[in-house]
Amino acid sequence: MVNVERIKKDIETMAEFTSTPGEGVTRLSFSDDDRKAREYIKEEMNKAGLKVYEDAAGTVFGRREGSKKRGKKAIPIMIGSHFDSVPHGGAFDGTAGVVAALEIARVLNEEGIVTEHPVEFVAFIEEEGSRFGSGLYGSRAIKGDVSVEQLKAAVDDKGISMYEAMKSFGLDSAKIGEAKREQGSIAAFIELHIEQGPILEHEGIDIGIVDSIVGISEYEVEIIGSPDHAGTTPMDLRHDALVEAADLIIYVNELAKTAGEGTVGTVGKIRVEPGAANVVPGRVTFTVDIRSGEQETMDEIWNKIREGIEALKEKGFDANYSNRLYVLPVKLDEDIKKFIEDGTQKLGYSYKRMASGAGHDAMVMASIAPTAMVFVPSKNGKSHCPEEWTDYEDLAKGIEVVFETLLSVDKK
Ligand code: GLV
Ligand code: MN
Ligand code: MN
């Protein structure tokens, strides 16, 4: 039986590993908090008798052997989510799915179940991209999508590259390629996650079965104008980088609204330099995050923004952009969705199929293994903020559903 007290303890303990105590969870990759959180996860995995290891990317795995040593059933089923967070985020985003994995390992032991497949319980890092700007890192490394060059190019706010940060953390960044797993080497990936939106709570539904996940494209844009004296430089002689950035930011918002059909566009991070009240902004750097169920829509919006950026060059600005993340919209596996549906019905819980507007490691895993996701309700739909909350009883229901699904996938 899934134990509510145990999952409460896991969530509460993990929430202590934050650099912003009292102001939400801030757990950046390869930080002290990452270290403490991964030690806790590994300790719990060890207690559950799992064989614990980290791959070349720093993703944590706990493996439980199955009864079959040869053939298709010797391929592992994976269950898990990520354990990094956004700045001042909540205690449940990602962590809920890691806790689900830990709890399922314990329940399998308590019920004396030996699966046919091995099961690998997984805790990914840098899913959010909060430190180095390009997320879904642990799963992309498994897909073979992260190169040494990318690690060297991705830098945090202090100018530390991911390559260096991993090395200081004790990982051999030059071996990132070894994290890759071949297509067909994972029997299934199942991720439990909080919904991060209001639908399940609003409709009084226990479980969300994710049909599809939106595509995400993320860019960093740099506009270079001229830093000048704010008192002496006439308005018509300025090259104010922030004014141009402001126009582009509004444009992102307008384009996403016009596209409709759930398309969203966000500028969530901006740096203004030199950053003084009495200096005309000379340089602005900002992110653009575009999401849509349709790749064409995602691309059309970016192309218009890109044209806007290019046009700045004719006005005497220097402007650059680079892509940070590009993941296509995905449909999740129909067979596993059906197993989730059956499990939910068996347990007597209500469910609905829904799309995910948030990105998840599942969207990358889906390209190398049959993949599915289970959502549990988020209080007031809040997420990526300290108020993020899911009742432990609701989380327990989701974990039970994933447990049932695992057994069905195993028997398939
Ligand atoms: C992750 O939470 C994302 O949707 O960017
Ligand atoms: Mn998130
Ligand atoms: Mn998440």
Side-chain angles (χ1 to χ4, degrees), residues 15 18-26 85-90 385-387:
T18 170
S19 61
T20 54
E23 293 173 23
V25 176
T26 305
S85 82
V86 295
H88 301 279
C385 56
E387 294 78 20

Side-chain angles (χ1 to χ4, degrees), residues 63-83:
R63 183 176 164 108
R64 191 175 190 271
E65 292 303 334
S67 60
K68 300 281 193 256
K69 303 293 170 210
R70 268 184 297 278
K72 274 195 152 172
K73 295 232 166 175
I75 299 169
I77 298 170
M78 268 190 198
I79 295 182
S81 190
H82 64 97
F83 71 100

Side-chain angles (χ1 to χ4, degrees), residues 69-238:
K69 303 293 170 210
R70 268 184 297 278
K72 274 195 152 172
K73 295 232 166 175
I75 299 169
I77 298 170
M78 268 190 198
I79 295 182
S81 190
H82 64 97
F83 71 100
D84 62 317
S85 82
V86 295
H88 301 279
F92 293 82
D93 179 357
T95 302
V98 173
V99 169
L102 296 175
E103 184 61 12
I104 287 170
R106 296 169 186 139
V107 177
L108 284 170
N109 291 343
E110 283 168 357
E111 300 197 1
I113 296 171
V114 180
T115 52
E116 296 186 28
H117 286 268
V119 184
E120 297 210 7
F121 300 95
V122 54
F124 292 108
I125 50 158
E126 193 64 2
E127 186 271 351
E128 303 285 5
S130 297
R131 178 163 178 196
F132 296 100
S134 77
L136 304 170
Y137 155 78
S139 46
R140 284 191 299 110
I142 287 184
K143 192 183 168 194
D145 245 7
V146 182
S147 64
V148 167
E149 292 68 40
Q150 284 170 19
L151 294 182
K152 288 184 174 165
V155 289
D156 68 7
D157 288 345
K158 296 196 179 85
I160 302 170
S161 73
M162 200 157 172
Y163 188 85
E164 281 307 320
M166 285 173 72
K167 264 174 103 173
S168 317
F169 201 70
L171 292 160
D172 189 348
S173 6
K175 292 194 174 150
I176 185 69
E178 293 179 8
K180 180 170 186 230
R181 305 230 188 170
E182 295 307 324
Q183 181 89 31
S185 70
I186 300 168
F189 175 65
I190 310 167
E191 179 169 8
L192 175 143
H193 206 281
I194 55 166
E195 182 201 338
Q196 308 183 274
I199 298 170
L200 293 176
E201 183 189 54
H202 185 69
E203 299 183 12
I205 289 172
D206 300 313
I207 299 293
I209 303 176
V210 181
D211 254 329
S212 56
I213 308 178
V214 291
I216 307 178
S217 61
E218 265 176 30
Y219 300 84
E220 186 170 85
V221 180
E222 179 192 46
I223 301 173
I224 301 168
S226 175
D228 287 301
H229 196 294
T232 59
T233 317
M235 296 309 281
D236 57 344
L237 293 182
R238 295 177 176 210

